[in-house]
Amino acid sequence: MSDWTIGIIGGSGLYAIDALEDPQWIAVQSPWGDPSDEILCGTIGHVRVRFLPRHGRGHRIAPSTLDSRANIDALKRAGCTDILAVSAVGSLSEELAPGRFVTVDQFIDNTKGRPSSFFGDGFVAHVSMADPVCDRLSRHAAKAVAAAGGECTEGATYLAMEGPQFSTRAESRLYRHWGAEVIGMTGMPEARLAREAELPYALLAMVTDYDCWRDETEAVDVGQVLDRMQDNARLARETIEAFCKALPRKRTPSPIDHALDNAVVTAPEARD
Ligand code: ADE
């Protein structure tokens, strides 16, 4: 076995991975709350894999009520060294047609009041979010999509909205003006929390629709998203398999492994 333990957070339509060897669902407790589900543990090739369905098996948990702190904490406790998140997104860009995969490299967080930090209650830390994803994981994910036979655009700005309703046409056009290229409901605060947990994080987005900014296309509805996710689920599973199998045996350290080194403000004598 190599020294990678990859946490996979599966989005809508991705509730298990069939390529896992020795699969076992394991309950992981977190003091932050209830993770979305048990974690499916196993191996793919030389890599340990810990898979968490973001919305729970059967899709029981809405984006606004997801406990991302519990999810990230549970993956950390399950020994993850890195996280690959997979999500359905709407496209805000002509070039990103439904069916395409995209690696996200920036976020605009327009969620409202979700708990988005592990810090602040007697212990203050400010991590950098300037570059919110892990470059090497993202590049690796894009290559894995190609190896699985899909098409992937590298680098896109993700607008995280609160939901659960989809956007109005005016909002959708506004987000395009802001420079957002894809839109989803779950990438934030997940990416922030992964950084605070010192877990390198990449977000592989699967475009399911053109949201509602495009006059010549029907506005998004949940049927479109689920149909497209179903079409792409096989490709997503093969991408995850290719991703794990192509990781080098040796995991060289990432600067994100030490994201808190210069981030903590609270004086040592004031910490519990
Ligand atoms: N997830 C998939 N498509 C979406 C859209 N258009 N808006 C928000 N989240 C989405």
Side-chain angles (χ1 to χ4, degrees):
M1 213 42 57
S2 64
D3 39 15
W4 297 93
T5 302
I6 299 291
I8 311 268
I9 304 179
S12 319
L14 198 59
Y15 306 115
I17 313 179
D18 34 17
L20 270 193
E21 293 153 45
D22 306 320
Q24 213 185 341
W25 288 96
I26 291 177
V28 179
Q29 311 278 322
S30 165
W32 297 96
D34 291 329
S36 296
D37 206 327
E38 294 177 343
I39 295 180
L40 180 60
C41 301
T43 58
I44 297 179
H46 59 283
V47 171
R48 277 179 294 270
V49 173
R50 307 286 179 256
F51 174 82
L52 179 61
R54 188 188 280 112
H55 300 279
R57 279 168 283 179
H59 206 112
R60 293 171 289 102
I61 307 168
S64 302
T65 50
L66 270 175
D67 193 333
S68 293
R69 287 192 298 195
N71 285 349
I72 295 292
D73 180 54
L75 289 171
K76 184 88 180 177
R77 285 168 195 270
C80 293
T81 55
D82 300 82
I83 293 183
L84 175 66
V86 182
S87 279
V89 293
S91 170
L92 299 173
S93 159
E94 194 63 54
E95 288 75 50
L96 302 178
R100 178 163 277 276
F101 283 62
V102 182
T103 53
V104 169
D105 64 352
Q106 282 295 330
F107 291 92
I108 300 171
D109 189 355
N110 207 38
T111 61
K112 318 266 184 231
R114 300 179 184 181
S116 59
S117 176
F118 291 112
F119 298 104
D121 191 12
F123 194 100
V124 180
H126 301 280
V127 291
S128 171
M129 287 299 294
D131 299 303
V133 301
C134 170
D135 221 31
R136 77 172 169 188
L137 284 183
S138 300
R139 266 186 278 120
H140 203 72
K143 281 192 192 145
V145 174
E151 292 186 352
C152 186
T153 297
E154 293 193 55
T157 298
Y158 176 113
L159 186 295
M161 63 175 292
E162 184 58 37
Q165 304 86 357
F166 291 113
S167 308
T168 65
R169 291 186 195 279
E171 287 164 340
S172 194
R173 291 186 201 113
L174 176 69
Y175 301 149
R176 276 166 51 80
H177 279 291
W178 286 356
E181 293 159 294
V182 294
I183 182 165
M185 301 181 191
T186 55
M188 283 288 183
E190 195 173 87
R192 295 181 189 285
L193 293 162
R195 179 58 53 88
E196 286 189 345
E198 298 186 318
L199 286 168
Y201 174 96
L203 176 50
L204 182 61
M206 300 163 67
V207 178
T208 53
D209 55 83
Y210 269 119
D211 201 44
C212 60
W213 55 273
R214 217 166 171 255
D215 292 334
E216 59 273 40
T217 313
E218 289 279 293
V220 58
D221 63 26
V222 83
Q224 268 177 59
V225 173
L226 292 179
D227 286 353
R228 182 60 73 170
M229 280 303 299
Q230 220 139 44
D231 294 347
N232 280 0
R234 184 194 53 79
L235 191 54
R237 283 195 283 268
E238 287 177 10
T239 296
I240 290 167
E241 189 177 350
F243 176 90
C244 292
K245 288 189 168 162
L247 281 169
R249 282 201 157 258
K250 170 125 194 74
R251 180 186 183 277
T252 53
S254 159
I256 300 164
D257 300 342
H258 301 283
L260 288 175
D261 279 9
N262 298 311
V264 177
V265 179
T266 307
E269 60 275 13
R271 298 175 198 166
D272 282 335

